[in-house]
Amino acid sequence: MNEHGSRRSGLFGRFVGRLLSYYDNPEGTDVRKQRRITSQSEDDILSPPKRRQMLANASGLVKNYAPAAWALGTHVHAVCNLRFHSRTGDEQLDRRITELFSWWSRKDNCDVAGRHSLSAMIRMWEWQACLTGDIFTLKLDDGRIQTIDGDRIASIGPANNGMDVSKFVHGVQVDDAGRALNYSVCKRTQNGLRHERIIPAWQVAQHGYFQSFSQIRGITPLSSCLSQFQDAAEASTYAILKMKLSQMIALAVFREKAKDGLGENTGGDESEGFEPQDYSNNIDLSNGKPKVLDLDDGDRAEWLESKSPSEQFQTYFDSSLCSAFKSLFIPSCLYFSGSSFAESRLKLFLWYEFVNTRRDVLRSLLLNLTAWRLGLFIADKELVLPRGMTLGGLVDRLEFTGAPMPSINKLDDVRAACESMAAGLTSPQRAIRELSGDDPNIINDETAAWYKQRSELGLPDPALKPTGQTPTEQK
């Protein structure tokens, strides 16, 4: 091997060794910004001033930008569509628990302000958790709930009962293991927040978004898409201004230049009898009356227009919105059209997988509150448990089921469920929950009552046997 080949082989070897010895990204390049090395927790990185600023940005964006409000509303609607079921196996006990839960869910019985029902509060909890990072529910002695917004929990105020509030972590006092002990609640005033009181953690249930184990306060999931939403909102505003400006009516008249020839006026000055004609003010469109343009052969008139916004801008704008929607795992097919049926269905399936994981977090909050309220019912002798059943065992038999994924072709889904039951892959009860989200026991009770009523009225029983055909095909 000559000297040149040896040198080239050595360079190639060093290049391969460099690729295999370390990652490129930590080394950095001239065009990529490197992050500062830190081992801080999420609560230390997001200081109280930065946390308040992020809250202001997220709240203002949702209030003033429709796509951001739509994304948050779509997420909340999918996650919070939950239904309560008691499955103790005791029919009378299940009915009694359902009655008490229905009574407690009314706005006068669950909300200390008497303003929102439990279902409405659940939606607002998830909405505010997405905006502020977390919310807190205070359990009152009378069985009602007081919701505390996340921004009201702050390390503001003097020492109270030997506790220095300034040493709290974003308004939360924790032990060495990170468990919350007390919360510092503040009151909103015209001059900002003012310390109000300290409440023990056992009276509070927290609901929020967490990304790390050492995290004490939740962080809004919109933090990763605020820039994209803000860029899209600003670009949309500029595009609208440009579009409005381009709508100013302007008419351009093009006249062909006169040619030199016999019998034609080739121009000249005013002394020779030629007077230049000014066409700039001959056309008046302000009075709304139709105008007739006197044009010679070869002349033309065109409206001045601007193709705004351009296709490139629209493509970039849609791409920015799609990236922002991904912070909540919302598929783009819900906002934009053009996806195929198979692609849309796959995206919906993956999105509902995320929705179910988020529902699990919400279920834990609702089971916590339901167990606390049922305990008060038991203490007030409103609910009597069977012998040998404890409150913990009762809570294990309570469920909050979510609405199923919207069916694109209901008949195909029903046929697939019937074939799965015939193959022993699922049960009728589970198929009913997956298709409708309803309680199979309630459906059986309603069906039995309906048949009984028709029998008492002397009406024939309708044929409810699945035929696998549509009503039109049956005829």
Side-chain angles (χ1 to χ4, degrees), residues 80-319:
C80 299
N81 196 355
L82 299 174
R83 301 175 185 178
F84 173 76
H85 303 286
S86 176
R87 310 190 191 280
T88 62
D90 189 330
E91 183 177 353
Q92 294 183 352
L93 180 60
D94 289 339
R95 292 183 183 276
R96 180 55 179 168
I97 292 176
T98 303
E99 291 175 357
L100 292 175
F101 184 86
S102 177
W103 177 87
W104 178 55
S105 300
R106 302 170 187 170
K107 62 180 182 179
D108 294 327
N109 303 328
C110 66
D111 185 12
V112 66
R115 191 175 298 117
H116 307 290
S117 63
L118 182 61
S119 60
M121 292 174 66
I122 292 174
R123 295 177 181 274
M124 297 176 67
W125 290 341
E126 182 65 19
W127 183 284
Q128 289 299 319
C130 288
L131 285 181
T132 64
D134 54 12
I135 58 96
F136 301 84
T137 56
L138 176 61
K139 309 170 190 175
L140 303 179
D141 295 336
D142 60 357
R144 293 182 294 177
I145 300 173
Q146 181 179 0
T147 303
I148 304 175
D149 293 330
D151 65 308
R152 292 184 57 195
I153 304 296
S155 302
I156 300 176
N160 191 333
N161 296 330
M163 293 181 291
D164 189 359
V165 179
S166 62
K167 296 182 180 180
F168 285 21
V169 180
H170 291 286
V172 184
Q173 184 188 29
V174 297
D175 58 13
D176 294 338
R179 179 182 292 272
L181 301 176
N182 295 283
Y183 294 97
S184 173
V185 183
C186 299
K187 184 178 181 180
R188 297 190 182 99
T189 64
Q190 295 181 352
N191 299 324
L193 296 176
R194 179 173 57 85
H195 178 75
E196 183 178 2
R197 57 173 172 158
I198 293 179
I199 55 177
W202 62 267
Q203 287 185 291
V204 178
Q206 183 183 10
H207 174 65
Y209 282 80
F210 298 87
Q211 289 83 29
S212 64
F213 293 101
S214 61
Q215 191 175 335
I216 299 175
R217 294 294 305 273
I219 298 178
T220 170
L222 300 178
S223 60
S224 61
C225 69
L226 287 178
S227 300
Q228 284 87 348
F229 270 133
Q230 289 175 348
D231 291 342
E234 294 176 0
S236 178
T237 302
Y238 297 150
I240 291 175
L241 293 176
K242 183 179 179 181
M243 182 179 62
K244 289 182 178 180
L245 184 61
S246 65
Q247 299 306 309
M248 301 296 293
I249 298 177
L251 182 66
V253 179
F254 299 88
R255 295 192 180 273
E256 187 175 358
K257 183 179 179 180
K259 300 180 180 179
D260 295 337
L262 182 62
E264 295 184 355
N265 191 350
T266 58
D269 54 16
E270 297 182 2
S271 61
E272 297 177 352
F274 175 78
E275 182 178 354
Q277 188 173 359
D278 184 10
Y279 296 97
S280 60
N281 297 321
N282 288 349
I283 304 174
D284 184 12
L285 301 176
S286 60
N287 55 13
K289 297 181 180 180
K291 303 295 180 181
V292 178
L293 301 180
D294 185 12
L295 301 178
D296 298 331
D297 294 340
D299 297 346
R300 71 182 190 277
E302 295 180 0
W303 293 106
L304 296 181
E305 61 177 354
S306 174
K307 296 181 180 180
S308 177
S310 63
E311 295 182 358
Q312 293 82 358
F313 169 79
Q314 296 180 33
T315 302
Y316 174 77
F317 181 79
D318 295 344
S319 177

Side-chain angles (χ1 to χ4, degrees), residues 449-461:
W450 187 55
Y451 274 104
K452 181 179 180 181
Q453 183 182 11
R454 292 181 64 90
S455 178
E456 294 174 352
L457 296 175
L459 299 176
D461 293 339

